[in-house]
Amino acid sequence: KLKDISSYDDKITELKKEWEGSHKKVNELAASLSEKRKKSAPQLEKKTCELLAKLGIPNAKLEIKISTKPEPDDYGKANVVFDFSANKGESLKELDRVASGGELSRLMLAFKSILAEHKNLPAIVFDEIDTGVSGEIAGKMGSIMNGMSVNMQVIVITHLPQIAGKGEFNLQVY
């Protein structure tokens, strides 16, 4: 016990070195992740706007602003802000302040369909992704989800017949 007590200083020094090495590695990984985010942001902006045009928002503009935080957190060192405008001539503002329910639904579908192209996901669940949309736009959303189902299982909870009609398999829950 006396030996353990007398070696605390050595143990503290050893743990500090281990922490410094881990901290350096986390910072390197976070910086690498931030660079990948910055590099892929323009592609995501372009592809999202293309999908939004197909979903009835032809004048959509999206800008992904990425700044660096001094210290990493669970998500890296990047602070990501999505600025959005749905209408021609309207200035870009933070997404959570300007997007309506229908616009958010279409944005989420666009983001998730783009993600699905790049990730080998076995399944994806959409729980009322069609909030705030109807008619022709709902049918287009259903077509996008149907296209996603070629490579993965797509489970959709919906109240809209335009979307349910695109499904291969339907269950009614009441």
Side-chain angles (χ1 to χ4, degrees), residues 60-98:
K61 289 184 277 178
L62 178 70
E63 184 178 325
I64 302 170
K65 295 179 179 177
I66 302 172
S67 58
T68 304
K69 294 183 274 191
E71 285 296 318
D73 59 19
D74 292 348
Y75 304 103
K77 288 183 87 164
N79 185 40
V80 181
V81 176
F82 291 83
D83 284 349
F84 178 71
S85 168
N87 303 310
K88 193 172 192 174
E90 190 176 287
S91 63
L92 292 164
K93 295 182 181 140
E94 285 189 29
L95 176 64
D96 60 341
R97 295 181 184 202
V98 296

Side-chain angles (χ1 to χ4, degrees), residues 9-58:
D9 288 336
D10 294 337
K11 186 68 173 168
I12 289 171
T13 303
E14 180 185 320
L15 288 172
K16 279 183 180 178
K17 283 182 184 178
E18 186 179 324
W19 180 87
E20 287 169 358
S22 296
H23 189 260
K24 181 180 177 186
K25 178 133 178 120
V26 165
N27 274 306
E28 288 170 357
L29 291 170
S32 173
L33 179 59
S34 291
E35 284 306 309
K36 289 176 182 175
R37 286 176 171 158
K38 287 176 185 175
K39 183 179 176 185
S40 63
Q43 296 166 322
L44 179 59
E45 292 168 353
K46 182 179 182 227
K47 189 126 180 151
T48 301
C49 289
E50 288 171 0
L51 280 170
L52 289 174
K54 291 178 184 177
L55 293 170
I57 310 176

Side-chain angles (χ1 to χ4, degrees), residues 156-158 160-173:
V156 182
I157 300 166
T158 184
L160 298 177
Q162 297 93 329
I163 291 180
K166 303 286 183 182
E168 184 178 321
F169 210 50
N170 286 287
L171 300 171
Q172 180 182 4
V173 178

